[in-house]
Amino acid sequence: MSACIIVSPVEASAEAELAARLHVVDSDQPQVSVLDLGVTRGDGIFEVLGVINGKPQAVDAHLRRLGVSAAMLDLPKLDLEAIRAAIYQVVELAEKHDEFSVKVIVTRGIEGSGVATAWVLAFKAPDDFAAERAEGVKVVLLDRGYPHDIAARAPWLLAGAKTLSYAVNKAVLREAARRGADDVVFTSSDGYLLEGPSASLILKFGNKIWTPATAQGILPGTTQGAAFEYFADAGFATAQVLLRTEQLWDADAAWLTSSGRMLVPICEVDGRPIPVDHALTEAGNAALLARTN
Amino acid sequence: MSACIIVSPVEASAEAELAARLHVVDSDQPQVSVLDLGVTRGDGIFEVLGVINGKPQAVDAHLRRLGVSAAMLDLPKLDLEAIRAAIYQVVELAEKHDEFSVKVIVTRGIEGSGVATAWVLAFKAPDDFAAERAEGVKVVLLDRGYPHDIAARAPWLLAGAKTLSYAVNKAVLREAARRGADDVVFTSSDGYLLEGPSASLILKFGNKIWTPATAQGILPGTTQGAAFEYFADAGFATAQVLLRTEQLWDADAAWLTSSGRMLVPICEVDGRPIPVDHALTEAGNAALLARTN
């Protein structure tokens, strides 16, 4: 079902008419150069937006995060309005499903050109998110190798930027599968809970809803943000905090959250069951799936 | 000058005639899918070979390392003979220069296809390696964030695989430039010397020539290996060792080495000059540039 639009992504191009900055292309044909730093060096950034009932979700939050990633990678200042227009146009072009996704990719472009490359792509993820929301996922804890204060200490490691250099984020899923699990929660080398390779972590302790603080070099989750709005409206106290790994075992409930998953309960950690709050999961997902933007 | 050949890189394809597995393409036209995991996730591996007087160097060592990277990433077993044939063919196709490079890229392929993508590309690097060999480069020491024993402790972090996820390897060069330097030597979070973002490190102490041990999750340098053959023939004792960061200040000479650079002396570390052995550098480079394979 994939539909694709190539975008002129930098502010200088904003002088051209919007339509001249967007080019619908055939995603079944090659569109990327073998000289593009996105593929030769994973040197670029991305976002994945959920599209629910034809409406792309949290567009502002995704564009804001894309801009932060661009700044962390010293990419040119992006023309976020062209990218926004491309997102809405590719949603129109895409085959209709109740839920699908739009990926935005910006690379540093062809080596030596100094011109960034960007495209947006509508696609249907193969995952069965409805089943995961109902049944939960098994996770393993894997060390991300960095201490929790890495982002402040070594910004050149790009911790907290959503880059195309995600080989490790895929490798940990293979390690999880080898251990009989579905997904991963990264921990810092000094024993803090962080995030999944493509999801944020949310924990419930009584009337408190906590997520690991982004100061630890992790991504501000767009769907985690929307879920926190739901939880706050439902009377919970929400906060970004430092969470020791062992606190996971004291939680009343834990979720992975992302723009495709919404709230997926974690039912098992390192082979040991943890409590699942099915009622709260259903209520939260109903709210997230009823969003109009 | 780039010339490009797309290769069917997996062993199953070896049943086809070799010629049917290599496809010369136009590197100025897009050749990579927007759905290829190489570009969407940096999920692939690469090698860069030096070509001197028309002869690709250390082909066996590069193919061996490519195979190791493939295994670390759980890629399908590669048809290294097809890749070898593509390397020699692309060298023939390329515009002639005394020195140029061939990049080999293998990606996990289009998401969901299970079929790896590969290509080889001949190109002339913009760097002035002759000047660097004569004048040396200024480096800064930057923390790679991991302890020196990360590879054994957390193999899912892929330390020591040559992956396409090199955004950090590019970010550290920008950090070096901000600090007025040309290049970087990574250190471990617990104080050991590692490697550059695209080079190995070699140090000289009297009649000893040392390089950091690959057990620290760093790449076995193909040119470092060839340089060690030269140094051994010249009467030096060579070894892979653990080197504390502070030992750099006691070295008689230090070099970065890679398939493009050969031996480039380090003349300054974090703004402080270190000794350069011009005579040994010249003799070593003469030997490396006189190789026939």
Side-chain angles (χ1 to χ4, degrees), chain A residues 61-277:
Chain A
H62 283 287
L63 289 176
R64 197 179 311 124
R65 195 167 68 179
L66 189 75
V68 170
S69 293
M72 290 177 75
L73 267 74
D74 305 303
L75 285 165
K77 202 161 163 51
L78 301 180
D79 179 2
L80 295 178
E81 291 317 305
I83 295 170
R84 182 194 301 272
I87 291 167
Y88 283 98
Q89 188 177 339
V90 87
V91 166
E92 287 304 310
L93 292 174
E95 202 181 304
K96 296 300 168 257
H97 293 271
D98 290 349
E99 296 180 40
F100 62 96
S101 300
V102 170
K103 182 174 286 190
V104 179
I105 287 190
V106 181
T107 83
R108 202 176 302 278
I110 289 177
E111 190 154 14
S113 73
V115 179
T117 306
W119 64 89
V120 299
L121 179 82
F123 67 103
K124 175 80 179 148
D127 313 70
D128 185 351
F129 292 126
E132 292 186 4
R133 290 169 201 152
E135 293 157 26
V137 290
K138 301 172 183 178
V139 304
V140 290
L141 300 172
L142 291 181
D143 185 354
R144 194 173 65 150
Y146 297 140
H148 80 286
D149 59 349
I150 193 67
R153 189 195 286 193
W156 50 83
L157 299 177
L158 306 178
K162 199 167 173 74
T163 79
L164 298 179
S165 288
Y166 256 39
V168 166
N169 297 246
K170 301 298 274 184
V172 293
L173 293 179
R174 295 191 297 275
E175 178 66 18
R178 277 190 281 271
R179 300 184 185 192
D182 310 302
D183 214 320
V184 172
V185 171
F186 280 122
T187 57
S188 69
S189 59
D190 50 355
Y192 290 90
L193 294 168
L194 299 175
E195 62 187 347
S198 66
S200 307
L201 175 67
I202 297 179
L203 298 183
K204 174 179 179 293
F205 300 89
N207 74 334
K208 299 188 191 71
I209 297 280
W210 285 347
T211 194
T214 57
Q216 295 168 103
I218 63 178
L219 292 173
T222 55
T223 310
Q224 170 266 316
F228 267 35
E229 288 182 24
Y230 162 76
F231 286 122
D233 288 347
F236 291 94
T238 62
Q240 280 201 15
V241 295
L242 293 185
L243 283 160
R244 299 289 310 173
T245 302
E246 54 272 21
Q247 289 181 266
L248 182 53
W249 303 109
D250 299 326
D252 306 327
W255 295 273
L256 291 179
T257 180
S258 71
S259 63
R261 290 174 181 86
M262 307 303 141
L263 286 164
V264 162
I266 297 174
C267 61
E268 195 178 294
V269 178
D270 286 346
R272 188 169 138 195
I274 66 165
V276 171
D277 188 331

Side-chain angles (χ1 to χ4, degrees), chain B residues 243-257:
Chain B
L243 283 159
R244 298 289 309 173
T245 302
E246 54 272 23
Q247 289 180 266
L248 182 53
W249 303 109
D250 299 326
D252 305 327
W255 296 274
L256 291 179
T257 179

